[in-house]
Amino acid sequence: MEEPLLQARLEKLARLRAEGIDPYPPRAPRVEPIGYVISCYSGLEPEERSGERASIAGRIMAIRRMGKASFFDLRDGTGKIQLHAASDVLGEEEYKRLRSCDIGDFISVTGEVFRTKRGELTVELEGWKFLSKALRPLPEKWHGLKDVELRYRHRSLDLIANAEVREKFVRRSRMIAAIRRFLDRRGFLEVETPIMQPIAGGATARPFVTHHNALDIDLYLRVAPELYLKRLIIGGLEQVYELGKNFRNEGISTEHNPEFTTLEIYEAYSDYEGMMTLAEELISESAREVLGETKITYQGETIDLAPPWRRVGLLDAVEAATGITASGKSAAEILSQARKKGIALPEDLSRGKLIEKLFEDFVEPTLIQPTIVRDYPIEISPLAKRKPGDDDLVERFELFIGGMEVANAFTELNDPLDQRARFEAQERLRESGDEEAQRIDEDFLFALEHGMPPTGGIGFGIDRLAMLLTDSPSIREVILFPTLKGKKEGR
């Protein structure tokens, strides 16, 4: 079906060129945004004419041909407006050429603004110009694009066909701008650190690897910018943040995409308590700026982002949900308790991993309202500072909203000897087959040995925050070009 339509449009393209008309001129005439025109003439009554002319440009979204007169719907990035074209105004040749346009073509027009008898704001065409010929029809007769795989693979069509998709990405962009303004007002400095790194550090994750031909070395797409941002703290840049891409060679789900956007923030002379307050203020203020309020609806649940948020210890949350006591217990003792309660757990996991598994299965899905879960096992937190009075725990928290993790924060480890020992423990895990374990980063340790002040650090999942503020069930709904499988034959 599509090829005959393509051929017909190619023939129209050829006719335009034969008539001396450039179907892809290098520039458009000066025009006003359609949304601005709509706002200027919103007070017109039915059948009232403004006596004023407007010049606008956009994509033709609908055509209603009626002999000597035709109606068009024209849309740009700010709105949609109706056009009325008549042969006795444009002349027979220009009117015929305009009628031969297809849905999807771009044109610019000039004419008087009026409101029809039915109340539709309309531009009475007095002149027009061709701007760009669309060779393929818009999807599904322009009533919407529903095939999920096609929507993600051909995002341009998705944006054309679905107004709610365009609004999601506009909201995401405004959220990011609001976050930047929040941090800039508080004296934080936005910085950039390497995407390609000689050691994939700063997070427990499996990296992507590439090769630098000129240097003949393997490099890794970063899994986190953390170790570079801490070097800036050491160097005296005491409030820094980076908003950018990370890459983790892991599974794809509704909450995971291999390429994703994070915000990492580090502040000297702060700690994880300071990061809790910062998280409350950053998210609530950004939501208020973007949405006008702090209450959101996410997948049928009403969530209030206004602080203060609930705070709970990780071990307490696990015990409350499962009845298993983890504090002061070994891996064997935790497994024994789980078996007695009929809870199946992998028997090859460390104590910290067992606690993490129980939390993910029994607690995390229940955390709908903003909840700060604090104080994590040291085995799963190699970059966080020990909690005073309890060597098994570190000062770390994760923030959960809508049943998913949206932030991870530490009182940063600044003892170089302790950090080296933690890295060495991670290396042993790698040797035993854990591809996500971290490596020893000698350059980072060298910097750390020169002294780092007490520091608080936090990382936010920007895509997940966008999911919350747009009520999107999947991370792929808020990433313009998510990672997909290879293209199927014929698609």
Side-chain angles (χ1 to χ4, degrees), residues 181-229:
R181 284 192 291 271
F182 173 93
L183 292 169
D184 293 344
R185 285 195 301 268
R186 283 157 177 77
F188 284 88
L189 182 69
E190 183 172 11
V191 296
E192 296 172 292
T193 62
I195 296 291
M196 294 191 299
Q197 302 179 354
I199 294 175
T204 303
R206 184 180 178 185
F208 289 92
V209 62
T210 187
H211 188 77
H212 192 296
N213 291 332
L215 297 177
D216 193 25
I217 58 171
D218 284 341
L219 293 171
Y220 301 90
L221 297 183
R222 74 176 179 200
V223 296
E226 177 167 342
L227 300 186
Y228 284 88
L229 291 172

Side-chain angles (χ1 to χ4, degrees), residues 49-74:
R49 305 188 75 87
S50 69
E52 298 176 351
R53 279 147 188 79
S55 296
I56 56 175
R59 185 193 292 272
I60 298 173
M61 298 303 297
I63 302 174
R64 298 175 289 282
R65 299 181 177 91
M66 306 166 65
K68 295 288 186 179
S70 297
F71 289 91
F72 300 75
D73 288 343
L74 195 71

